[in-house]
């Protein structure tokens, strides 16, 4: 892995401002507008793809990383698209035996003496721009589009997401991803609020 420090770009303004939701019953589900995504315990990251330049990830502390298995896999997939420049918001996280690991384990794997970069994965949760033009489409459209680009990847995925119709849909999603698969929690976007 190549790592450097970037002073030119900060990504704090790209992270959604979230409010803690005490209980699911407090959310009003609006069909086709409420969106839930599974939350991973990893590192908030911007991925920049540039066909003619450098492709890298950038975290909120300015750590710019390139040349690791998950990133290289994503770059190869992006070369198969017609796009020269693309920016995603994603989570860098660690995975072992099909389950996401906790943040301390991710940090140990990416920075520790026993680096195991094959356990580092990238989960995409927003498509910001294509060829330097912001993408204003609905989240569901963006993620379906990205899923076609990354088909067959072992270390890249779109975060699990759902447009729930009822509160029970959210409970079922919680049971499947948080209780069943070990995700950290849920992110719920409802109108102008993010929980």
């Amino acid at each position: 892995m190549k790592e450097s420090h970037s002073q030119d770009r900060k990504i704090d303004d790209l992270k959604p401002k979230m409010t803690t939701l005490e209980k699911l019953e407090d959310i009003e589900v609006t069909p086709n507008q409420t969106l839930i995504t599974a939350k991973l315990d990893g590192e908030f990251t911007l991925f920049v793809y540039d066909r003619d330049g450098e492709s890298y990830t950038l975290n909120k502390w300015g750590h710019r990383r390139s040349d690791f298995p998950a990133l290289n896999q994503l770059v190869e997939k992006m070369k198969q698209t017609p796009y020269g420049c693309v920016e995603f918001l994603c989570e860098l996280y660690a995975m072992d035996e099909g389950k996401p690991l906790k943040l301390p384990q991710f940090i140990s794997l990416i920075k520790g003496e026993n680096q195991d970069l094959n356990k580092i994965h990238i989960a995409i949760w927003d498509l910001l721009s294509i060829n330097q033009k912001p993408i204003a489409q609905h989240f569901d459209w963006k993620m379906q589009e990205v899923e076609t680009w990354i088909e067959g990847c072992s270390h890249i995925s779109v975060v699990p997401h759902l447009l729930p119709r009822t509160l029970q849909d959210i409970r079922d999603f919680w049971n499947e991803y948080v209780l069943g698969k070990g995700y950290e929690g849920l992110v719920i976007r409802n109108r102008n609020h993010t929980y």
Side-chain angles (χ1 to χ4, degrees):
M1 173 184 286
K2 295 178 187 171
E3 189 169 333
S4 61
H5 195 75
S6 175
Q7 298 286 357
D8 348 346
R9 185 158 186 196
K10 301 289 181 195
I11 66 168
D12 285 337
D13 61 320
L14 299 175
K15 189 169 187 174
K17 306 295 182 236
M18 293 189 267
T19 304
T20 301
L21 188 64
E22 296 298 323
K23 54 188 178 192
L24 289 178
E25 289 73 22
D26 291 343
I27 195 76
E28 181 182 324
V29 177
T30 308
N32 297 318
Q33 292 181 19
T34 302
L35 170 74
I36 58 173
T37 55
K39 169 109 177 53
L40 290 153
D41 195 10
E43 183 178 270
F44 168 65
T45 302
L46 172 70
F47 168 74
V48 176
Y49 168 73
D50 185 344
R51 186 186 309 271
D52 299 323
E54 184 186 8
S55 298
Y56 58 89
T57 62
L58 179 68
N59 70 15
K60 69 178 191 168
W61 296 282
H63 294 280
R64 189 172 168 148
R65 297 183 178 119
S66 60
D67 194 25
F68 59 97
L71 178 92
N72 296 341
Q73 186 178 61
L74 184 50
V75 168
E76 287 307 309
K77 280 294 189 175
M78 292 308 301
K79 286 179 182 176
Q80 297 172 23
T81 71
Y83 310 118
C85 298
V86 177
E87 290 187 342
F88 298 113
L89 289 179
C90 53
E91 197 83 7
L92 277 185
Y93 69 103
M95 193 159 201
D96 192 23
E97 296 181 13
K99 292 223 174 196
L101 301 177
K102 300 296 180 194
L103 183 60
Q105 294 164 298
F106 163 78
I107 292 169
S108 175
L109 288 168
I110 205 162
K111 293 185 177 225
E113 290 179 22
N114 298 325
Q115 259 188 358
D116 189 349
L117 299 179
N118 282 314
K119 291 184 178 178
I120 304 302
H121 290 247
I122 297 174
I124 298 166
W125 54 269
D126 201 356
L127 171 60
L128 294 181
S129 67
I130 297 175
N131 295 334
Q132 298 163 345
K133 293 181 182 159
I135 304 300
Q137 298 287 348
H138 190 271
F139 177 88
D140 200 41
W141 178 90
K142 291 192 274 187
M143 294 303 95
Q144 286 178 25
E145 181 69 13
V146 170
E147 283 174 338
T148 66
W149 303 346
I150 62 171
E151 190 175 346
C153 285
S154 59
H155 285 66
I156 314 299
S157 63
V158 167
V159 293
H161 59 281
L162 176 71
L163 291 169
R165 297 182 57 177
T166 66
L167 186 57
Q168 187 59 47
D169 292 341
I170 298 176
R171 285 189 190 107
D172 292 345
F173 194 84
W174 172 274
N175 290 337
E176 181 177 355
Y177 288 99
V178 179
L179 300 180
K181 296 184 178 176
Y183 283 74
E184 182 184 26
L186 302 180
V187 175
I188 302 173
R189 293 173 181 86
N190 198 15
R191 297 188 183 122
N192 298 323
H193 302 286
T194 304
Y195 304 98

